[in-house]
Amino acid sequence: MAELVRLTRHDDIAVITIDNPPVNALGPGIPEGIEALLGEAAQDDHVRAIVLIGAGQTFIAGADIREFAKIVSGERPRLSLYPFLLAIEDCPKPVVMAIHGAAFGGGLETAMAGHYRVIAPGAQVGQPEVKLGLIPGAAGTQRLPRLAGVAKAVEMCATGQSIPAREALELGIADRLIESDLLEGAIAFARDVAAKPAPKTRERNEKLGDTHPALFGMAREQARKSGRGMTAPLAAIDAVEAAARLPFDEGCRREAELFDECLYSSQSRSLIHAFFGERTVAKIPGLPKDVKPAEVTRAAVIGAGTMGGGIAMTFANAGIPVIIKETAAEALERGMNTIRGNYAKSAAKGRLSQADAEQRLARITPQLSYEGFDQADIIVEAVFENTVVKKQVFAEMSRIAKPGCILASNTSSLDIDEIASAASHPDMVIGTHFFSPAHVMRLLEVVRGRETAPRVIATAMALGKKLGKIAVLAGNCPGFIGNRMVAPYLREAQFLVEEGASVEQVNQALYDFGMAMGPLAMDDLAGLDIGWAIRKEFARFEKPGVRQPRLPDLLCELRRFGQKAGRGWSLYDADRKPSPDREVTALAEKTAREASIPRRTILDEEIVDRCIYALVNEGARILEDGIALRAVDIDITYIYGYGFPAWRGGPMFYADTVGLPNVLMRIQESERTHGSDLWSPAPLLTRLANKGQTFAGFDKQRESVRV
Ligand code: T1G
């Protein structure tokens, strides 16, 4: 292990460097390695103080999460940090932590066990464990309140939000800001404190007293709101409360109990799955290693509607100048007013400084012509969702684009190959499906066509990261990954209303399951006319005699297009607050009567199972068709694009958690009740369930075949 941690001498100061790329995670053997070198330095009479620093881009970014991921396979993580941290704190010579990059989780806990902390201006410190369904498990909930105060410790541990270096200095987490070379600054600081007594954080109780009695209650209430359904934030608050009430050692024991409860929870397994999934989706098997993404320094967008405007803002927010074009001045002005309004709102809420908002707005050039489009590295088409219209636009884009310019379509469902057939260079055509609002939603569905060049795929995936998105690669089929799955999900929700459930009951059942919003509320937000246009585009694929939801078309015929029309499945007031609408219930009753659909009392469990398992079943087909590279790609698509709760890991991981044989059984019940045209189990699901395998296992197996 020596090479991952090393000791160097700088005259009277010993420097211990952790060199475990890419993020100096505390994996098995590393704490032991540090402890050994610490002992060595402590024994050395020439050494007056010790500096601990990370090599590469960051300090310690936490414990090695892969250790915790082993839980899924029934292994116990080989990581106990308490003794290692006590060894640091009880070192007879001052230990100075030199922080740059990220001191997260076990990294901040290690830093706080030191006697002093110096920090580089760009560094961030935090306890993000709750984002993994965990809590700090190495006395972070006990030492942080002693340095930063109880209120701040509650906030940092319950939200997982990191704070910048200057704030860490102001709070007393850090002792000095090093503007110059960090190592030199740390060594100089170590010399300054070498003769002073080394303060032990665990003995610093002066900040524990100033706790407002209502603090923990208010924090729990806030955690229940912002972390709806998540258990770890509440456990983190309990642990910090223990710090305010109990002596250090007892507080640590309480933290360890709470940590273990989280560690063996399905929420933690799901969130750790999502953490690594977010990174896995960026890896495209089969893309030649020598294919390097092209630089995108200028962009252009066609269409200044809701999507076009949001896409232009996304480029501007990432520092990329962007032209936005419309066909009519009025539409262009409307689009720019929305963009200006969004930036004004962000500045008013303090999310952006006024100067920053103006800078970003200035990067957007509105115009009615294609002037300057021949300078763009990528042109994104965001016009009406119609193949004929899009092909006309792609023919124009081909004429004006410079060689090597990527031609991207923001279509959410239409055939990329069909659209590409209108371009002179179909190998430069790719789908870049942003989610509404495009400047907010983190998912970018990148759709490869039959002829899309590998470099275009690599560039679109890299661009996604540059735009702050999580890019997932999908194959070309109606609806790609996301919308192909959302169709049966919505279908079941609409059927359930025809069969007797109320719109509110359907929405509430999925909301309580953890979805960001119910399916019909999502339909109303997106606009029922979008689904209507797509159904018309794909009507020719509908199998005659197979039951289709009647209600959504009826609502559209009544111009009830959802929130933007003030009514859809629900009624909406000026603040877009939904309320039940008897007219929809009456329409449902009439539809049921005309179609001889028996209406009945429906339980929430049936609503959740039919909607979620419709997702899973279609997901399994998508996986088998190769439209999604891995089951985890589907999970990440649904977590970041469709509001699926990350603490359930995404639809495919959730199905693994429930057990595929159970999921198959429920789907077979639905097949018996509603017919195999709607509910025949996906062959892959049947195979895996019968073999006692999982989607996660399928990914591993597919990966091993690809390597
Ligand atoms: N353990 C293992 N691998 C990690 C890791 C970690 N803590 N952090 C990152 N990686 C891998 C990641 O999977 C990727 O791998 C590569 O490093 C680069 O990461 C006891 C219980 C530090 C801000 O939650 O937030 O400490 O894909 O692409 O964008 O109380 O990584 O290349 O194979 O994200 O520059 C708490 C998690 C752990 C921090 C860098 N710590 N990491 O972002 O790179 S729990 C965290 C991050 C804990 C203790 C508890 C970010 C980053 P690959 P990346 P980046």
Side-chain angles (χ1 to χ4, degrees):
M1 271 298 162
E3 70 283 7
L4 293 180
V5 284
R6 59 177 177 272
L7 175 69
T8 50
R9 282 283 308 281
H10 298 249
D11 300 335
D12 55 349
I13 303 299
V15 174
I16 297 175
T17 303
I18 302 155
D19 192 357
N20 180 27
V23 295
N24 293 327
L26 291 171
I30 300 223
E32 295 79 356
I34 295 171
E35 202 174 329
L37 294 179
L38 209 63
E40 200 179 311
Q43 301 295 322
D44 183 336
D45 294 341
H46 301 295
V47 170
R48 297 175 57 229
I50 301 160
V51 168
L52 193 79
I53 192 165
Q57 55 158 344
T58 186
F59 185 68
I60 301 167
D64 192 327
I65 303 169
R66 287 169 297 191
E67 280 302 304
F68 304 120
K70 289 180 183 162
I71 298 273
V72 175
S73 50
E75 275 181 72
R76 185 167 176 75
R78 293 174 298 134
L79 211 57
S80 173
L81 298 175
Y82 286 112
F84 151 64
L85 298 181
L86 285 176
I88 293 174
E89 203 163 45
D90 292 340
C91 177
K93 298 179 178 169
V95 179
V96 175
M97 299 292 173
I99 300 169
H100 71 301
F104 286 173
L108 180 56
E109 290 168 307
T110 303
M112 294 191 290
H115 304 115
Y116 300 97
R117 285 148 294 281
V118 298
I119 193 163
Q124 291 271 330
V125 304
Q127 304 280 178
E129 286 89 344
V130 287
K131 296 179 181 174
L132 301 167
L134 299 171
I135 67 168
T141 63
Q142 306 305 304
R143 288 197 172 92
L144 186 59
R146 285 172 162 81
L147 290 180
V150 176
K152 192 65 187 180
V154 164
E155 181 198 315
M156 289 175 69
C157 293
T159 64
Q161 294 310 328
S162 62
I163 62 170
R166 286 181 200 292
E167 190 178 348
L169 187 70
E170 284 150 21
L171 285 165
I173 296 173
D175 301 288
R176 183 180 292 175
L177 196 70
I178 307 290
E179 308 268 5
S180 56
D181 178 80
L182 179 65
L183 180 56
E184 281 171 21
I187 290 171
F189 183 94
R191 285 208 176 94
D192 292 352
V193 299
K196 293 190 185 153
K200 297 183 179 182
T201 305
R202 71 172 187 269
E203 294 168 359
R204 299 171 64 172
N205 301 327
E206 59 279 7
K207 287 189 179 178
L208 294 180
D210 64 355
T211 312
H212 188 287
L215 172 81
F216 300 109
M218 285 161 25
R220 288 188 180 94
E221 208 181 310
Q222 179 53 40
R224 285 196 189 91
K225 255 200 244 117
S226 55
R228 195 167 55 85
M230 290 179 69
T231 50
L234 299 169
I237 296 166
D238 292 351
V240 178
E241 184 171 18
R245 307 230 183 289
L246 302 170
F248 181 79
D249 295 345
E250 285 177 46
C252 285
R253 276 192 292 280
R254 181 73 186 119
E255 177 194 88
E257 285 164 10
L258 291 160
F259 179 81
D260 268 6
E261 281 168 26
C262 291
L263 185 61
Y264 293 94
S265 68
S266 67
Q267 291 202 4
S268 172
R269 285 199 290 278
S270 302
L271 287 160
I272 289 174
H273 167 75
F275 174 85
F276 286 117
E278 202 183 306
R279 285 134 184 100
T280 302
V281 293
K283 299 170 180 138
I284 311 300
L287 212 57
K289 291 260 177 300
D290 59 352
V291 168
K292 295 283 172 269
E295 260 305 294
V296 174
T297 58
R298 303 186 76 77
V301 176
I302 300 177
T306 310
M307 291 310 295
I311 295 168
M313 286 181 70
T314 305
F315 280 105
N317 293 351
I320 300 173
V322 55
I323 303 169
I324 184 165
K325 175 189 179 298
E326 252 301 349
T327 49
E330 195 220 335
L332 187 59
E333 193 46 30
R334 201 172 38 245
M336 286 309 295
N337 284 343
T338 305
I339 293 173
R340 287 189 204 100
N342 288 337
Y343 280 129
K345 253 186 266 154
S346 299
K349 288 188 182 146
R351 288 208 205 104
L352 283 181
S353 68
Q354 190 54 41
D356 205 356
E358 282 159 15
Q359 242 180 19
R360 293 175 186 210
L361 185 58
R363 290 193 194 108
I364 302 175
T365 307
Q367 56 188 64
L368 297 172
S369 73
Y370 281 121
E371 193 195 333
F373 270 60
D374 55 355
Q375 302 302 308
D377 302 307
I378 184 169
I379 303 174
V380 181
E381 160 277 309
V383 301
F384 186 63
E385 192 73 343
N386 174 282
T387 304
V388 176
V389 175
K390 288 186 187 288
K391 287 175 75 173
Q392 282 161 359
V393 173
F394 267 72
E396 283 171 25
M397 286 158 72
S398 289
R399 271 196 302 281
I400 51 169
K402 71 177 181 183
C405 174
I406 292 177
L407 307 180
S409 172
N410 181 55
T411 178
S412 63
S413 297
L414 303 179
D415 184 342
I416 288 290
D417 293 330
E418 179 65 21
I419 293 171
S421 68
S424 52
H425 297 287
D427 59 328
M428 298 309 292
V429 174
I430 195 161
T432 52
H433 175 203
F434 290 80
F435 287 73
S436 182
H439 62 293
V440 177
M441 293 297 283
R442 292 200 60 204
L443 183 69
L444 176 66
E445 197 174 28
V446 173
V447 184
R448 67 195 314 168
R450 207 177 18 254
E451 299 183 49
T452 305
R455 187 157 196 233
V456 172
I457 296 171
T459 304
M461 294 298 287
L463 176 64
K465 186 157 187 177
K466 187 171 180 182
L467 296 177
K469 303 295 182 192
I470 296 173
V472 174
L473 185 66
N476 181 34
C477 70
F480 320 129
I481 297 174
N483 284 346
R484 177 172 156 183
M485 286 169 70
V486 94
Y489 171 75
L490 270 178
R491 176 199 73 206
E492 288 307 309
Q494 294 155 355
F495 279 162
L496 285 155
V497 175
E498 292 176 354
E499 294 166 24
S502 71
V503 168
E504 292 65 40
Q505 184 195 8
V506 172
N507 280 333
Q508 192 64 39
L510 272 300
Y511 183 78
D512 294 346
F513 173 81
M515 299 298 287
M517 65 171 60
L520 304 170
M522 180 178 73
D523 208 11
D524 274 348
L525 176 69
L528 274 64
D529 50 333
I530 306 280
W532 204 20
I534 293 170
R535 283 194 298 280
K536 286 180 186 155
E537 279 270 345
F538 293 114
R540 63 187 183 280
F541 297 115
E542 272 171 23
K543 202 168 162 196
V546 174
R547 180 186 172 196
Q548 298 292 340
R550 278 280 306 123
L551 265 179
D553 291 356
L554 278 177
L555 294 175
C556 288
E557 285 149 18
L558 294 166
R559 325 281 317 147
R560 301 179 62 106
F561 293 140
Q563 281 195 15
K564 59 186 170 192
R567 52 194 197 132
W569 290 99
S570 303
L571 278 177
Y572 293 88
D573 64 17
D575 301 328
R576 301 209 169 196
K577 197 162 167 308
S579 57
D581 189 341
R582 276 230 32 81
E583 190 183 336
V584 175
T585 313
L587 271 173
E589 289 161 351
K590 177 169 171 291
T591 303
R593 251 191 330 277
E594 289 166 0
S596 313
I597 299 166
R599 287 179 58 83
R600 55 193 171 85
T601 303
I602 297 174
L603 300 178
D604 287 0
E605 189 201 352
E606 177 184 349
I607 294 172
V608 171
D609 284 359
R610 279 174 62 179
C611 292
I612 298 295
Y613 293 156
L615 270 182
V616 173
N617 202 31
E618 192 61 29
R621 292 184 198 288
I622 282 175
L623 206 46
E624 189 137 41
D625 294 352
I627 296 295
L629 290 169
R630 296 155 289 233
V632 71
D633 291 49
I634 296 174
D635 289 333
I636 295 301
T637 296
Y638 263 74
I639 289 171
Y640 288 101
Y642 296 81
F644 196 98
W647 52 269
R648 290 191 189 275
M652 311 314 276
F653 189 83
Y654 171 69
D656 281 349
T657 309
V658 171
L660 298 189
N662 301 327
V663 174
L664 179 61
M665 191 179 65
R666 295 292 280 167
I667 289 177
Q668 287 165 333
E669 280 166 18
S670 295
E671 183 183 25
R672 283 191 293 280
T673 313
H674 304 288
S676 50
D677 287 318
L678 296 170
W679 278 101
S680 62
L684 174 65
L685 173 64
T686 308
R687 261 198 330 276
L688 294 175
N690 293 343
K691 290 189 191 152
Q693 294 173 347
T694 63
F695 288 121
F698 176 81
D699 276 0
K700 276 209 182 76
Q701 187 216 347
R702 203 180 234 186
E703 211 62 40
S704 61
V705 174
R706 283 189 183 126
V707 172

